[in-house]
């Protein structure tokens, strides 16, 4: 494998503006779309040239991505495998509440583009909810990214990472109102959304 150096892009401005206006579960889990849906499989390289989530200003030219593995795990196990730092984790560490997705990202020759993992959604076949990349677990597992989910990979190189997807639920009865909890994963089949337009690319995931 070629170098794994990651060049941090503090914030991808054009992409970051979209997250403010993006409507949550209605758009994320919509079954119907004006764009064709392309289904891909775990282990396939997926070319991201020309696709985007919200606007063509998002620049993924030169980038491709592959889902290497998918498994359900606990926050404790995820942190033990991936975390390079200690965190004050106020949650049930032993509940199977994390869908851990292993990725490899390749940049052929792009000097300006990058990816933003806060756009990626894991939608179960029930389509009544969606899992997002967990900010707290991501930061613990990717401290070299400085807390951002938007980053670039050096041209001519690949980078592998493990992304934790979780579903946040309402606080338990005696918890404070501000305390959101990670819900135990009960779903077994998902679509991982990698773009919305001009085609919706999804990776079919089956944990059965």
């Amino acid at each position: 494998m070629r170098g794994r150096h990651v060049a941090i892009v503090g914030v991808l401005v054009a992409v970051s503006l979209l997250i403010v206006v993006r409507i949550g579960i209605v758009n994320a889990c919509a079954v119907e779309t004006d764009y064709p849906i392309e289904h891909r499989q775990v282990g396939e390289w997926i070319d991201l040239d020309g696709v985007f989530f919200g606007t063509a200003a998002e620049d993924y030219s030169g980038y491709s991505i592959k889902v290497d593995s998918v498994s359900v795990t606990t926050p404790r196990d995820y942190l033990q495998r991936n975390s390079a730092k200690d965190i004050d984790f106020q949650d049930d560490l032993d509940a199977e509440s994390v869908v851990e997705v292993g990725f490899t990202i390749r940049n052929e020759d792009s000097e300006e583009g990058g990816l933003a993992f806060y756009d990626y959604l894991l939608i179960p076949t029930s389509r009544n909810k969606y899992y997002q990349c967990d900010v707290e677990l991501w930061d613990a597992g990717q401290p070299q990214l400085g807390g951002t989910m938007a980053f670039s990979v050096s041209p001519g190189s690949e980078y592998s990472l493990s992304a934790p997807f979780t579903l946040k639920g309402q606080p338990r009865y005696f918890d404070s109102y501000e305390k959101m909890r990670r819900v135990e994963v009960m779903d077994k089949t998902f679509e991982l959304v990698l773009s919305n337009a001009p085609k919706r690319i999804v990776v079919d995931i089956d944990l059965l």
Side-chain angles (χ1 to χ4, degrees):
M1 180 182 293
R2 290 173 288 183
R4 290 163 57 94
H5 175 67
V6 176
I8 306 303
V9 176
V11 177
L12 300 178
V13 177
V15 179
S16 299
L17 292 175
L18 295 172
I19 199 170
V20 178
V21 298
R22 193 162 290 142
I23 301 173
I25 195 166
V26 175
N27 286 343
C29 300
V31 176
E32 297 184 5
T33 174
D34 292 332
Y35 299 108
I37 300 176
E38 181 176 296
H39 291 267
R40 306 298 293 271
Q41 303 302 314
V42 173
E44 286 187 53
W45 278 106
I46 300 166
D47 186 355
L48 298 178
D49 271 357
V51 299
F52 53 89
F53 280 92
T55 172
E58 300 166 31
D59 185 7
Y60 306 142
S61 59
Y63 278 81
S64 55
I65 193 167
K66 176 165 62 79
V67 175
D68 296 310
S69 61
V70 185
S71 62
V72 176
T73 189
T74 68
R76 186 186 304 279
D77 287 343
Y78 179 85
L79 291 169
Q80 287 177 346
R81 283 192 299 272
N82 299 285
S83 182
K85 66 177 185 179
D86 294 328
I87 63 172
D88 183 15
F89 197 88
Q90 301 297 320
D91 206 346
D92 184 351
L93 285 170
D94 296 309
E96 291 193 331
S97 57
V98 181
V99 181
E100 183 175 356
V101 183
F103 292 90
T104 301
I105 301 156
R106 175 187 294 162
N107 178 9
E108 293 289 346
D109 53 15
S110 176
E111 298 285 349
E112 298 182 0
L115 300 182
F117 265 67
Y118 49 67
D119 281 316
Y120 291 179
L121 300 175
L122 194 60
I123 302 175
T125 52
S126 62
R127 297 187 180 277
N128 60 355
K129 55 185 174 289
Y130 62 93
Y131 297 68
Q132 288 182 294
C133 203
D134 189 292
V135 174
E136 189 176 17
L137 289 172
W138 171 278
D139 186 39
Q142 306 290 331
Q144 72 275 18
L145 297 181
T148 182
M149 291 186 185
F151 61 94
S152 64
V153 177
S154 297
S157 67
E158 294 179 357
Y159 181 63
S160 295
L161 60 83
S162 179
F165 288 82
T166 60
L167 173 67
K168 296 295 181 66
Q170 295 299 316
R172 293 183 175 87
Y173 187 75
F174 291 107
D175 287 339
S176 67
Y177 181 76
E178 296 81 9
K179 179 178 171 58
M180 301 296 287
R181 61 187 178 87
R182 292 166 178 83
V183 178
E184 186 173 357
V185 178
M186 303 301 292
D187 299 288
K188 298 299 182 183
T189 55
F190 302 86
E191 290 181 352
L192 175 64
V193 182
L194 298 180
S195 75
N196 282 330
K199 59 184 176 182
R200 187 174 174 92
I201 300 177
V202 301
V203 178
D204 294 323
I205 293 172
D206 189 344
L207 297 175
L208 294 174

